[in-house]
Amino acid sequence: MTGRSRAGDAACPGCGATSRRVHSGYERRLADAAVGGRPVVVHLRVRRFRCLVAACPRVTFVEQIDGLTFRHGRRSQRLHTVLQVVALMLAGRAGARLAEVLSADVSRSTLLRLIRALPDPSTVTPRVLGVDDFALRKGHVYGTVLIDVETRRPIDLLPDRESATLARWLADHPGVEIICRDRASGYAEGARLGAPDAVQVADRWHLYHNLTEAVERCVARHSTQLRAPEPAPGPEASAAAIAELEKITDAAKSDRSAHRCADRTRDRHREIHALIGRGLTLRAISRELGLAGNTVRKFARAATAEELSEGKWQGRASILDDDKPYLHQRWQEGCTSAKKLSDEIKAAGFRGGYSVVRDYLKPLRAGTKPADRRRPPSVRDVTSWITRHPDNLTQDETLQLKDLLARCPELNATAEHVRAFAEMMNTRAGEKLATWIDSVKASSLPELLSFVNGIGCDLRAVEAGLRLPFSSGAVEGQVNRIKMLKRQMFGRAGLALLRKRVLLAG
């Protein structure tokens, strides 16, 4: 496309004076947005004017066409705006690939330069400020994101998370009334120094998360009580199991070949005599079975397998023989734990292992152990049951929790305190916090006492967090967005480029 300006005059960009004196002219080549998938190039004839104001530093200037050209630009304003938006949304490589689809080939470096050339948005001091940290390099370098909690838009990014940096920003932007933050001491100190009149609000999610951690430690301390006690077997079942065990034991003693070597001898004797019955010689049998000649001859001479095993592998004393009466007595008393019984006889001098006792008790357990034994709840399961709303628990979870709390008074007291705190948090009843703290101190639960001592150092912010409707939820959302932008740029974006994208792409 070709074109030229038809205006008779032009305004000087230096002083604003209008001039009609043409100095010279030349042709500009501007890339424009594609039409029908084909690139468009505009050949524009422009003029250079003389400035008539003697004091103006510009002697000559070039006319600009509104909506089409800008100074030193080699693209139309429309295409330039499109590429700026693409750069902000997708950054370098991904933006270059999309621009190629739009028939506007640019390099990734050009797109990044477009982002850096954009002016910063005007900073507006919010009434409610949200503060949180984000990782520039996880575990090493962190920055601070500031957002307007009411509009949920980012305001600024700070290069670190030091209290002095936040205090300096607050001092330069007076007017903040409420500051939402997590429970980090650095932000608390920075907010106090930079905006002493502002109300600090501790985030409720972080408060309840800290309380959940305290509950988990308390449940872990009582982990031995999570398993429901086993019901003692009835006298009829115990007597039947004892009789069955003794029957099996007597049968094993009377079976003269109840040994793996005796079983192997019997099988080999049967096999060799079967081959003899087929008419094979002893030497052929030796080659067939891969046995020594003397071995085959010995089996051939024996009429029965018992002749070969007479006096061997039988009547051997068990390491558990001396302790079997005690095991029978304890089983009748209701103790059915193989581990516990093993520990008891070990204390009395038993030198065997746990598996010996376990295998000996298997016949008894077959008559007393239920078919579907319930797995005991884990520490995390019980912590979740205590800290979740009762309406969100299943009927089975409710029954298990009720049974556990009935067996453990300390966990029952912990659950009562958690429910009271959750109710206070849901109803925004921060004025009840002092009463709740006193009740926790009176219960002498070490894990909850540690939690109470922690919030005591930040009591006003915690009270405000339980009373006011503001929280750091919007800030956490911006932190997740920053993570996404960093991943788009392969984690190599510096603070300056990342700040442009966070503030302008929102």
Side-chain angles (χ1 to χ4, degrees), residues 220-234:
R221 185 162 58 88
H222 297 85
S223 58
T224 56
Q225 302 186 37
L226 301 186
R227 181 188 294 273
E230 297 181 2

Side-chain angles (χ1 to χ4, degrees), residues 215 219 225-226 374 377-379 381-390 393-408 411-412 414-416 419:
V215 173
V219 174
Q225 302 186 37
L226 301 186
R374 182 192 295 271
S378 66
V379 172
D381 289 337
V382 177
T383 303
S384 174
W385 299 344
I386 293 176
T387 55
R388 281 158 54 192
H389 195 281
L393 299 179
T394 64
Q395 183 177 5
D396 183 60
E397 290 172 345
T398 302
L399 293 177
Q400 289 189 69
L401 178 61
K402 183 178 180 180
D403 179 64
L404 174 61
L405 298 183
R407 296 197 314 267
C408 184
L411 286 182
N412 186 39
T414 301
E416 292 294 337
R419 281 192 283 268

Side-chain angles (χ1 to χ4, degrees), residues 1-5 24-31 41-48 62-63 69 73-74:
M1 299 178 62
T2 60
R4 65 181 179 85
S5 173
S24 58
Y26 65 96
E27 185 178 270
R28 295 180 65 175
R29 297 178 71 251
L30 303 173
V41 179
V42 179
H43 295 262
L44 181 64
R45 187 69 184 178
V46 295
R47 296 164 293 178
R48 181 177 291 275
V62 178
E63 62 179 340
T69 66
R74 300 185 66 178

